[in-house]
């Protein structure tokens, strides 16, 4: 069975990089261009893992994590934060909000794939 990833990022470039990298590794990738769209399509995508940026218009990554952890779609799906930020304060805040992990951009394809496989038990 294919592992589904929901990638939420306002950068088209990053969404495309994620799609190419993850589809090449056998994942099914669904994208959203901001937090609001990501939370909206979450139920229909029903992903195995969510990757979200922090700094986005309409709803930031913390809003996404909060909505997915406590809203009507309440989920325990792993949520990875993918961002240019690497401050310990933000990492701690993301963990408190319910993020599973943190990946700093620019990301390394192999590391990202390896983290996703570990989180989802998907071996390709």
């Amino acid at each position: 069975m294919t592992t589904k990833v929901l990638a939420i990022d306002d950068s088209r470039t990053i969404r495309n990089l994620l799609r190419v990298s993850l589809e090449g590794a056998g994942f099914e990738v669904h994208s959203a261009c901001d937090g609001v769209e990501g939370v909206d399509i979450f139920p229909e995508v029903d992903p195995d893992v969510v990757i979200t940026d922090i700094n986005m218009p309409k709803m930031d990554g913390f809003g996404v994590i909060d909505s997915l952890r406590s809203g009507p779609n309440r989920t325990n799906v792993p949520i990875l934060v993918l961002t240019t930020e690497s401050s310990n304060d933000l990492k701690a805040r993301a963990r408190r909000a319910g993020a599973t992990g943190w990946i700093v951009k620019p990301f390394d394809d192999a590391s990202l794939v390896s983290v996703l496989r570990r989180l989802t038990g998907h071996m390709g």
Side-chain angles (χ1 to χ4, degrees):
M1 218 171 81
T2 311
T3 299
K4 290 190 279 189
V5 178
L6 173 57
I8 309 170
D9 200 302
D10 58 325
S11 159
R12 177 178 307 213
T13 306
I14 294 290
R15 290 196 309 270
N16 288 341
L17 286 171
L18 284 169
R19 179 177 300 280
V20 167
S21 161
L22 298 178
E23 284 182 348
F27 293 91
E28 179 184 320
V29 181
H30 298 264
S31 302
C33 61
D34 62 51
V36 172
E37 184 188 8
V39 170
D40 281 352
I41 69 171
F42 180 87
E44 68 196 57
V45 172
D46 190 24
D48 298 293
V49 62
V50 173
I51 299 174
T52 183
D53 187 13
I54 287 288
N55 302 313
M56 297 181 289
K58 295 189 188 168
M59 180 192 290
D60 68 6
F62 293 113
V64 168
I65 296 166
D66 205 42
S67 298
L68 295 182
R69 290 294 186 233
S70 60
N73 304 318
R74 191 180 176 91
T75 181
N76 294 318
V77 162
I79 301 174
L80 280 177
V81 173
L82 178 68
T83 179
T84 51
E85 309 281 349
S86 59
S87 86
N88 287 332
D89 289 355
L90 282 175
K91 286 182 187 175
R93 186 177 159 203
R95 265 195 297 277
R96 281 194 307 274
T100 312
W102 190 278
I103 294 172
V104 178
K105 295 176 192 170
F107 63 91
D108 171 67
D109 287 9
S111 309
L112 180 61
V113 166
S114 145
V115 167
L116 288 176
R117 287 189 171 146
R118 207 167 58 238
L119 284 176
T120 60
H122 171 95
M123 287 319 179

